[in-house]
Amino acid sequence: MTMDTVSPLPSDVAMSTPTKNDSETVTTLSSEDTGTASSTPMPAAQPATPSPAPAVPAPADRDGYIEEAASIELRKDRTVYNRIVTITPPKPEPWWSPTPKKKKQQQQQQRDTETNSPNPFLSPFKDMIDRFSQHGENVKKEKARTDAEAKEEARKRVERVTGQVSDVAAELCFVHGGCASSSQFDQLLGSLWERINDPETKPSNLAGGKIRCHLYDAVGCGSSSHDPSDWDAYNSDEQMKDLEEIVRSVAGSSTSSTPIYLIGHSYGSSQIIRLLPLLPESISARIEGLVLMSGALANGPSDVPNDNGPCVFCFPVWFLKLLQPKMNDAFLSNAYHPTTDEGLVMHGRTVCEGNDMGMVKAFYRQWTWATADDAAKVVKVPTVVVVHGAEDRLIVPAAGEHLHDMIPDSEYRVVDDAGHQVMEERPADVAEIIMGVVSKKKK
């Protein structure tokens, strides 16, 4: 369905409203002052003029950003669409180079000089000069892209021979929510790229190494097409086996010393919690951090995480197809903050409408959420951060607090002006949290 809970959201969930918890204050991230802590109650969502989408460069304009996609077979008759995004930090400047701040000042002075003091002899040729200049920039970008691809191909040749990768500083595995798509993380990937390419925000422990992001569409979701009538294919046990295979693949793609970070959204967060006890020690020992967004536990403050799904999915598929447009509307109105850019909401609608209701019914009737007992077992992971949008009307913030309370030594971060789709609505804030986890040194 969409970003996480369902494409067609059941009416009883769609009409749920957040509850206020006055018993304790939590750390909140202000969109105006990222990183500044405040102790204020979570404000109720107020109607407002939609804010513009975050200005994130398109993938083609990101230096050191390589995306590969392919369908991979996990087991017999189970194929998923998988993406690997490699983000390479820029090479450090020589010690004699001007600081980034000084560079910006010099560039601004040059632009001011060109604007205020045009050369009268060159004015007639300005358009021609601009075209040549733009052509030169395009040639440089194309050469940089070609060089990066050639270098990556050389790395793959070495990898095929040695079976290991040595230049990856961290492996990040993203797990989307129920009936959703890995495309919901695209805004977040752009913000991660920005932080890694900014000398002032790049984690110092990367030491020039790459960060590799692994994203996949679950069976039947997004681009991982599957027979919607294959009921057993969508049960929670099969999904857990899929996730285990993905994480094993991630672990096997780099050296045994490369740390792994698992990042989940909504039901994906629950799957990560249930996954940990299933992993062998050789892999679980490499998991240095978890970031659990918009998550919850069964039998907690939210009525969404109930096994066997909402009762609306007891109806036959043909009837659910008639309800799908209304269910999509209900989901979108509860999943997104009122000020979210309309383009992001339309993307969410596209994901919802792409789901077959046969798959959706099979999924929700068989899903299984992590319990408090499962959460209590998350003790070997050094850093666990629970993230929730302050105005999440789908899985209320109180459910995020409950999840945080049940995971020993976890942190809880609330992001202002964000709903259930926090990583889409406030990608810079979430990227800051993720990079904070990645930059922590091993205990």
Side-chain angles (χ1 to χ4, degrees):
M1 282 302 349
T2 158
M3 300 8 320
D4 167 346
T5 275
V6 202
S7 129
L9 186 70
S11 58
D12 56 337
V13 175
M15 298 308 294
S16 62
T17 56
T19 59
K20 183 177 180 180
N21 187 338
D22 297 323
S23 61
E24 63 177 296
T25 53
V26 295
T27 302
T28 61
L29 287 178
S30 169
S31 60
E32 298 177 355
D33 188 12
T34 302
T36 301
S38 62
S39 295
T40 56
M42 299 176 224
Q46 297 294 329
T49 303
S51 57
V56 177
D61 297 326
R62 301 173 189 163
D63 294 330
Y65 184 102
I66 299 177
E67 178 171 332
E68 303 169 279
S71 293
I72 58 175
E73 185 174 16
L74 301 179
R75 300 186 302 288
K76 184 180 179 181
D77 298 328
R78 291 191 76 82
T79 301
V80 298
Y81 174 76
N82 187 67
R83 291 191 291 160
I84 299 178
V85 174
T86 304
I87 304 176
T88 304
K91 294 182 179 179
E93 296 286 349
W95 64 267
W96 61 82
S97 298
T99 62
K101 183 176 181 181
K102 186 67 176 176
K103 275 187 177 181
K104 291 180 180 179
Q105 292 175 347
Q106 293 174 347
Q107 292 171 353
Q108 185 59 47
Q109 290 174 356
Q110 182 178 355
R111 285 193 294 268
D112 292 344
T113 301
E114 293 173 353
T115 302
N116 299 328
S117 305
N119 189 325
F121 297 101
L122 297 179
S123 296
F125 308 100
K126 184 176 182 304
D127 290 343
M128 183 185 299
I129 294 172
D130 289 344
R131 284 197 297 271
F132 275 110
S133 176
Q134 184 61 47
H135 175 71
E137 289 297 322
N138 292 340
V139 170
K140 287 181 181 179
K141 284 186 178 181
E142 180 62 23
K143 185 178 185 302
R145 185 187 66 79
T146 303
D147 290 346
E149 289 179 351
K151 187 176 179 181
E152 183 67 12
E153 183 58 34
R155 180 193 66 77
K156 288 181 181 179
R157 285 197 295 270
V158 173
E159 179 182 349
R160 284 193 289 268
V161 175
T162 65
Q164 293 184 324
V165 179
S166 59
D167 60 348
V168 176
E171 303 277 11
L172 277 59
C173 183
F174 294 78
V175 186
H176 66 69
C179 299
S181 166
S182 64
S183 61
Q184 65 182 4
F185 297 115
D186 286 352
Q187 292 285 328
L188 178 55
L189 290 174
S191 291
L192 287 173
W193 174 85
E194 287 187 326
R195 293 194 69 83
I196 292 172
N197 277 269
D198 187 338
E200 297 180 3
T201 59
K202 183 186 75 173
S204 59
N205 61 334
L206 290 185
K210 304 173 182 177
I211 282 187
R212 200 157 51 182
C213 304
H214 303 259
L215 311 95
Y216 76 103
D217 290 345
V219 170
C221 300
S223 297
S224 297
S225 58
H226 192 82
D227 182 1
S229 65
D230 186 1
W231 182 271
D232 292 337
Y234 304 105
N235 69 54
S236 61
D237 290 339
E238 289 297 316
Q239 292 179 36
M240 292 307 302
K241 290 178 183 178
D242 292 345
L243 179 54
E244 183 179 356
E245 288 293 329
I246 291 290
V247 174
R248 284 177 178 272
S249 174
V250 171
S253 65
S254 57
T255 64
S256 58
S257 61
T258 305
I260 299 172
Y261 300 86
L262 304 180
I263 302 163
H265 178 243
S266 195
Y267 186 64
S269 297
S270 176
Q271 289 179 297
I272 288 174
I273 294 172
R274 295 180 60 214
L275 170 73
L276 296 179
L278 305 178
L279 296 174
E281 179 66 23
S282 59
I283 296 178
S284 60
R286 293 173 55 187
I287 298 178
E288 289 292 317
L290 308 180
V291 178
L292 309 176
M293 301 177 288
S294 308
L297 296 173
N299 303 317
S302 173
D303 60 354
V304 173
N306 292 317
D307 293 350
N308 300 320
C311 61
V312 68
F313 291 109
C314 294
F315 289 117
V317 173
W318 67 266
F319 187 68
L320 291 175
K321 289 182 178 180
L322 296 178
L323 295 179
Q324 186 171 9
K326 291 294 183 182
M327 297 173 80
N328 289 345
D329 291 342
F331 170 80
L332 295 169
S333 66
N334 283 275
Y336 288 95
H337 189 273
T339 62
T340 298
D341 176 74
E342 185 60 29
L344 291 179
V345 180
M346 288 302 297
H347 172 260
R349 183 176 295 280
T350 300
V351 174
C352 287
E353 293 173 348
N355 286 329
D356 187 283
M357 293 308 293
M359 178 276 292
V360 174
K361 176 177 179 175
F363 171 82
Y364 283 105
R365 292 295 293 165
Q366 301 180 88
W367 71 355
T368 301
W369 285 76
T371 64
D373 289 340
D374 294 325
K377 297 176 183 176
V378 185
V379 293
K380 294 184 179 181
V381 181
T383 306
V384 180
V385 181
V386 177
V387 182
H388 225 91
E391 285 85 38
D392 190 338
R393 292 177 290 177
L394 199 58
I395 294 181
V396 294
E401 285 191 74
H402 176 249
L403 174 60
H404 154 63
D405 291 339
M406 295 298 105
I407 298 179
D409 301 320
S410 64
E411 302 174 31
Y412 184 46
R413 308 292 292 275
V414 175
V415 181
D416 287 340
D417 301 321
H420 193 63
Q421 300 306 115
V422 59
M423 70 288 180
E424 288 187 283
E425 298 171 320
R426 298 297 169 196
D429 292 343
V430 176
E432 179 187 4
I433 293 171
I434 293 175
M435 286 295 96
V437 174
V438 172
S439 64
K440 285 193 175 182
K441 295 181 179 180
K442 294 183 179 180
K443 296 181 180 179

